Every structure is written in C-alpha cells, then in structure tokens.
Amino acid sequence: MPTDDDASEMVAFAQTVARLRARVEELEDTLATAAVHERAKGVLMGRDGLSAGAAGAALARGAGEQGRTVTEECWSVLGGDARRGPSSAPPLGTLPRTPDTGPGRRAPEASAGRARVLAELAGRLEAARTHQDAARALLGGLRRAAAVAGVLWYGVEQPSGDLVLRGHAGVEGAAVHRSRIPATSGHAAVDAARGGRPVWEDDAVREPAGPAPLGGPAGRRAGVAWVPVAGADATTGVVGYLPAGPAPFTPAARTLLREAALLAGGLLRTRFPGAAPGPAAAIGTTAANGAAPGAAPAVGAVPYDGPVPAAGRAGPGGPADAGSAVPDASVVQAVLDTLPMPAVLLTPLWSPDGDVADYRIDAAAPESVDSVGRRGREMVGRRVLETYPTVAGTDLWRGYRDALLTGVPYESESFTYEEVAAGAPSESSYTVRATRLGGRLVVTWACHDPLVREARRLHQMEHLGDLGWAEWNLLTGEATWSEQAYRILGRDPADGPVSWEELALHVVPEDVPQLTEAAGRLRDAADPVDRTFRITTGAGVRHVRFVAEAVTDPAGAAIEVHALYQDLTAQRRAEQALLESERAFLVQQGLLQAERALAKSLQEALLPRQERRLTVAGLRTEVFYLPSEEGLSVGGDWYSAIGLPDGSGLFVIGDVAGHGIGAVATMAQLRFTAKGMIVTGSPLPDALMRLNALLLHAAEGRHTTATMILARYQPWDRTMTWVQAGHLPPLLVRDGTARFLEPPAGIILGATAECRYEEQRFTLEAGDHLLLYTDGLVERPAEDIAEGLARLAAVAAGAVGDEQGAEHLTLRLTADLSPTRRDDVCLLHLGPPEAD
C-alpha cells in the first residue's frame, strides 16, 4: 500500500510535471513567435534584397510607424491579421508523413511549419560566406523538410551562357556531377535559367547501372528540381535540388524550394555579390546593367508564388529603381518630345501585398491625350486609373503587369475602349504596346477609329502648314475655331472665337477697308475670299492669309462661312529681308560701278593704256600699263617718264597698296608731288623722305603704303642715279646677261617715320637695257617671288638677244610672263640711242 511518503512524492512529481508543462507551453509560444519573426525577415530578405539585420530593423521601424508590436508587424508582412498575437499562431509541429510522399518524404505545412523551416534556413544562410556554404546551408535546412538529398548551385557565365558549378552539397566526386553545362545542351537547368521559371523533372527514368550524371543513386535519375536564382536585373544562377527518393517533390515541397531559392538569392546579393561568373545576366537576355551589391531583384526575373520582387518599386518595401540603370524621367521625356505618336512612361506603384496597385505617368509624348483632354506633359504626375479609370481589371491591365514581371513586350489585340467626357460616353478602337524599361513601362498606342485618325491627321496638317480653320454660322452667330487658329491669331482659347462682325477689329487700320470689302462680298454675293491681311497680336503684327467660302441656302444667301487661316509671317519676313538685301546690293553695285568708272577715268588720264614709245633725255623709252582682268576695282600701279629743265630725265615707277578710287587718288598725289620736288631741285633721297611723311600724315581713314623707284639719268656722262622705297630692284641686261641691281637702303613709304633712304649710281653703257617694273609682272599664286624674278631675268635676256632685238620688249615680256594678268602690270624699258 502506498505510504504517506509515496503520496508526498506523487504530489511533488505532479507539481514538477505541471511546472515543466507550463515551461514547454511557454517555450512553444516563444518558438512560434520567433518563427513568425524569422519568416517575416526571410520574406523581406527575399523580396527586397535586405540582409537579416536590415530586415529586422525594417520590421521594428514599421512597427513603430504603425503603433503596433513587432509580432503584429510580422503578421502584416506575412499577410495575416496584425491583431493576432503569438498565442494565436498555428501550432508548430513536425512535417507528417503522407501516403504519396514515400519513405522518408515529408510535405511542408503551409503555415507555421514552413515558417519555422524558412526561419531556420535564414539563420543557416546568414552564416554562409561562399556559394559552397550556401549549398550546404540549403541542404541542411531542406534535407528533412522537403526530402532533399543534394544541392547543386550553378552560376550563369557570360557571354557564353554556360552554367558553371559554384557549389554543391550531398553530391560528391567528379563522377556524379558536371562542373559545366553548355548553353546549347538543351539541359533542364539551362531551360530554367533561360525561361526564369522552375523546371521539375517529375518522371523517374530507369537507366543502366552506373553513376548518375547529376547525383542520386546509381541505376536511375530522380526528378531533379531546377529553380532559377534572381539577380539584380535577370537570372544569375540555378539551384538544383536532388530528391531523396524516386517520387517527385510534392506541391508543398515545391513551394518551399522556390521560397528557399528566393531567400538564398536575396542573401547572395548582399553577402557575396559575385553570384555568377561574368556579368549578371540571364541566358538569352540583355546583360545586367551594373547593379550595385544588395540591389533588389528585377521584377519578373524569377516568377514565383510569393510576393512580387521590388525592383523599381515606388511603394513600401524598397527604393525606387534599385539596381536598374533606368534613365531619368527627364531624359525619357526629352526623347518622347520628339515622337509624333502617343507614348508614356509608367512607374508601377506597388501595394503592400506585392501586386501593382496603379501606375504613375512620369513622362508623356505631346500627342498623348487622356480621357478628359489633358495632353502631353499635362498628364505627368497623374495615375493611370485617374486618367483611364475603366482600364482596371481588363486584359490590358493584366498585359501591363505581365510585361513588367516577365520583360516580354506586350502587344494587345484591337479593343474598344469607352471614355466618358463631358458626361457623354464615346467608344474608340485601340491597340497598345507595353515594353519594360528597367522597373518601368514605356507604353505606346494607336487609335483605329476613322474619325479620330482623321482628326489627328488634320491636327498634324495644321501644325506642319501653319494652318488653322474657322467656321461661322451667320444665322445663329455661333463660331468655331481650331486650336491652331487661336495660335495664329494670338488669341487665348478661353476668350472664345471672334465673331464674323468683329473680325475686322483685329486687322491693322491700313488693311481694314480691304477686309471689310471682301467680307461684304462673301456675305452678300457668296464670293470666295483669298487675301492676305496683317493681324495685330500680342506678339506683334502677323501676316495671315485668309481663304474663305460661303455655304448658301437654296435662295443663294450665305448662311455659313468656312475659312482657313495660314500664318505667312515668316515667309513675308523672309521676302522683306530678301528685298532689302537686293536693294542694298543694287545700291552697292551702283556705287562700285561709279567708283570704278571714276577711278578708270582718272587712271587713263594719268596713265594711257597699252604701249607708248618716247625719247626722254636721249634714251629710247617704252612704257606699258595694263590693268588686271579680275575684279571690278582698278589698282595703284603707275609710272612717269619726263625730261627735266637741266636736260636730264626722270623715270619713276610705283605701286600703291589697295585698289579703287582711293588707290588712284594716292597714286596721283605721289606722282605729281614727286615730279614737283625733283623739278625744283630736291635730291632723290630727300624726295622719298617727304613722300613718306606725306603718306604718314594723310587724312584719317586714307592711310596707305606704297613702293617706288626714282631714277635720274644725265645724258652728258651717261650716269644713272636711283633710290628705292621697298620696290623690286631694276633689271639690267648687258652683253646678253641679265642681273638685278643691288638696291640701296630704303623702306616702303608710309610704314614708319624712322626711315633712311640712300642713292646709288652706275653708268649706262652702249647696248644696255634697263627694266623698271611692278610686282604684277613676276608674282604668281603659291610661288616664291624669287622664282618669278629668275623667270623675268631669263626671258628678258633671251628676248634682247633674239633676232627681233629689243623691239616691243614690253609687250613680249608681258605676254610671256603675265598672260592671265591677276594684278596690274606696269613696265618701263630704257635703252640708249646707241642700242638701236
């Protein structure tokens, strides 16, 4: 029989059991709460690409903002009732065996069981430092929960697209796995990477005995599950799950495997961004655009059953356009401004449950018009459901979402869309195309309603031709103007059109009689009008062509007026500018012709053209002057050959810089001044000094320069004395040899007041020939002056020595040396009488 001691021991034991049971219940509640916390952190890690620490901080921040506990915030993230506490969480338990799982296969429960597995897996992955660590963590967390026997982690290599083994667990030895899977192999893993969707090898295929190519016991290949891993903008890898038995993974296990890959992918981008060899890009897709480590996965990179990834997300959960090289909206707007068609840039606005709640218009082409008439940039900042409210829930709305998630452009079939404007419904036929741009959509559409297309064509025609139309009902006084008509006449559309009777008030006073007369004839006799009037606007006077015709009743009376405005202001201004330019040209041409005629008359009076033969101081003298054949202006080349009172002779040749009447006037001034000074007895160097001072002190605006040679011949001793001011040296031909005389000191006239001129003397012997000339005889374009001088010496020596002798030497030299006469040519040939 039990004793009192036994009773006391039973009571103590019962108390201990009760205390332990309470402790167990407390631990279960704590574990349930921890599982909820870890699962919510796992969702944020996978959805937003956050680390475990950042996910915990986000939950705490959200709880503080909403005024609730962290556990309530976790249930909100998981989609449950935020008011539920940890005590109301589903009970934790093991994953039960089911008849269809086979031995050792466990099916994850949809609530707390899967949450606990993901929470544990998140802890394992948090400690991973390499892809190999991640593979081992996945195997450790999923071995019992999903009956996984092995894990293979492949990365996508660019640009080949091959899959390269980055980590493995539960599969050992080169004989049981492949380190590289070619992109062209047609392997299921490649299909998963290329399509961005899991591939389940559900059928167990019996094979001959031997090592399996991708893990599992020899003699068969199990239903391997290939789940893609999301990168910043596309698929960066594939995780292969090898089942522990021959049966395929259950639906619950598949859900868990997808969520595990998503969780691992989020951690992959935050802990070791080198997820795959080469750029992070999917097979067959555009390469990743340089996403930073930790960037959120691209929308639609890996479709799955859980929350939508938050790349480019504008709502709660992630920064806008994270990880996407999306151009700034202002850049896109600048591109859309050039398009002659409707187009908008849409930014998705995500709901807390991860779906698209609406789209915001961030850029719009000028031809884009919403249901209430807003056009182009007026639509920017508004939401799609605000501008097109009836599109929600339609195939078009679903097409937008598919294009955003998958990256595959959406093209709609032709559909009818009903708009309600000003209380009146209207239907139009459209086709729409949506293309993903990073985390946004570029949407274009075309209207196939004949009336709408016709209106658009009319608008484009008005814009291109600077046209605007107007209509007046003469019976009711009603008037209708097009948008372009308001612009042409500089009138605010809010003020409405101008009545037919008030039209003349907007015309300049000088044109009012013409418009009044034309309008009267149109109204009274239905005569059409086609006139151009000047209209007064706030921007100034515009030239407007007014073309109008009347619609008459059976009696012939005008009842309506249909008119067309055309802005001819730019054309009239161009015509006026052209007319003024022609007038200025004619005036200038007349001045030039008058100047040339005057200069030519002065020049011919001073220098007779062509050859002249003289005898001065006993020397036979040939003088020759011929103006250039190019240009309208005459030049400043000149010569002089006169006898002096003492019986000596003065020979002068010069070249004034420039052309025209100014050059001729300076030439005349130098010619007569030099002659006057020498006749009055001035020495040759003194004469050049004074001529230099004359040019330096010329009237303002007429300052110029000149070159000159002054030569004085004394027949009694045959002495030639000469000075020069920057002129080309004389050429002396003696005994068949031509040489240039060494010039004395002297610089160009009019260059500087600091100058010095010296003279030289030589004896002119019998048979000598002396040539004085200007640069037009020897200069040629792109040729050194030395070459022209050498040519002159050679031609002159040959001409004097041939059978014609020195007869007409000036004409022969000019014809040989300057056939095109680009510049004036002036030449003096001096020879003593004994040369004849």
Side-chain angles (χ1 to χ4, degrees), residues 561-641:
V561 174
H562 297 171
L564 187 70
Y565 297 117
Q566 184 177 19
D567 189 355
L568 301 180
T569 305
Q571 178 180 338
R572 288 291 185 268
R573 289 175 179 172
E575 292 173 353
Q576 185 65 27
L578 179 60
L579 180 60
E580 293 177 357
S581 177
E582 289 178 351
R583 290 174 179 171
F585 172 76
L586 292 175
V587 171
Q588 185 66 21
Q589 186 180 44
L591 292 175
L592 290 174
Q593 289 177 345
E595 179 181 333
R596 176 175 173 81
L598 177 58
K600 186 176 181 181
S601 299
L602 290 174
Q603 191 179 55
E604 288 181 350
L606 299 171
L607 303 173
R609 297 177 60 179
Q610 300 296 341
E611 183 185 30
R612 293 180 62 198
R613 302 182 65 180
L614 308 171
T615 300
V616 178
L619 292 178
R620 189 190 65 179
T621 303
E622 288 183 330
V623 295
F624 183 86
Y625 170 77
L626 199 62
S628 68
E629 292 183 344
E630 297 186 0
L632 296 175
S633 299
V634 295
D637 292 21
W638 60 281
Y639 67 87
S640 181

Side-chain angles (χ1 to χ4, degrees), residues 617 647-649 712-721:
S648 62
R712 186 170 185 172
Y713 176 68
Q714 299 175 169
W716 52 86
D717 58 3
R718 294 186 177 181
T719 300
M720 182 72 77
T721 304

Side-chain angles (χ1 to χ4, degrees), residues 416-472:
T416 300
Y417 177 72
E418 182 178 280
E419 300 174 340
V420 179
S426 61
E427 292 186 349
S428 299
S429 178
Y430 292 90
T431 54
V432 177
R433 177 181 174 87
T435 304
R436 190 173 76 188
L437 179 63
R440 296 170 173 164
L441 287 178
V442 175
V443 178
T444 59
W445 65 92
C447 180
H448 303 286
D449 189 320
L451 294 179
V452 175
R453 290 202 308 271
E454 192 67 26
R456 183 175 293 113
R457 292 193 188 102
L458 178 60
H459 176 75
Q460 292 175 346
M461 180 186 68
E462 288 182 328
H463 178 72
L464 294 175
D466 271 335
L467 301 171
W469 58 265
E471 294 179 353
W472 288 272

Side-chain angles (χ1 to χ4, degrees), residues 544-771:
V544 178
R545 181 186 180 190
F546 182 68
V547 181
E549 62 180 10
V551 177
T552 60
D553 60 11
I559 57 175
E560 285 188 359
V561 174
H562 297 171
L564 187 70
Y565 297 117
Q566 184 177 19
D567 189 355
L568 301 180
T569 305
Q571 178 180 338
R572 288 291 185 268
R573 289 175 179 172
E575 292 173 353
Q576 185 65 27
L578 179 60
L579 180 60
E580 293 177 357
S581 177
E582 289 178 351
R583 290 174 179 171
F585 172 76
L586 292 175
V587 171
Q588 185 66 21
Q589 186 180 44
L591 292 175
L592 290 174
Q593 289 177 345
E595 179 181 333
R596 176 175 173 81
L598 177 58
K600 186 176 181 181
S601 299
L602 290 174
Q603 191 179 55
E604 288 181 350
L606 299 171
L607 303 173
R609 297 177 60 179
Q610 300 296 341
E611 183 185 30
R612 293 180 62 198
R613 302 182 65 180
L614 308 171
T615 300
V616 178
L619 292 178
R620 189 190 65 179
T621 303
E622 288 183 330
V623 295
F624 183 86
Y625 170 77
L626 199 62
S628 68
E629 292 183 344
E630 297 186 0
L632 296 175
S633 299
V634 295
D637 292 21
W638 60 281
Y639 67 87
S640 181
I642 60 172
L644 298 177
D646 63 356
S648 62
L650 176 65
F651 303 95
V652 187
I653 194 163
D655 188 359
V656 177
H659 290 78
I661 194 169
V664 174
T666 302
M667 175 265 289
Q669 187 179 34
L670 292 176
R671 184 173 187 268
F672 291 113
T673 303
K675 179 179 178 181
M677 286 190 292
I678 301 302
V679 168
T680 57
S682 296
L684 298 182
D686 291 350
L688 289 182
M689 291 285 290
R690 291 171 182 164
L691 292 175
N692 181 69
L694 179 66
L695 291 186
L696 287 174
H697 295 85
E700 184 178 356
R702 290 185 54 192
H703 178 267
T704 186
T705 60
T707 64
M708 183 185 297
I709 288 180
L710 294 176
R712 186 170 185 172
Y713 176 68
Q714 299 175 169
W716 52 86
D717 58 3
R718 294 186 177 181
T719 300
M720 182 72 77
T721 304
W722 68 289
V723 295
Q724 65 88 27
H727 201 85
L728 295 173
L731 178 64
L732 177 64
V733 181
R734 176 177 290 172
D735 298 331
T737 301
R739 68 180 179 88
F740 293 99
L741 300 180
E742 187 68 24
I747 66 171
I748 189 171
L749 298 176
T752 177
E754 301 295 330
C755 60
R756 180 173 61 89
Y757 298 97
E758 297 179 354
E759 64 181 20
Q760 283 192 2
R761 292 183 174 86
F762 69 94
T763 300
L764 195 61
E765 299 178 357
D768 286 351
H769 296 269
L770 186 66
L771 296 177

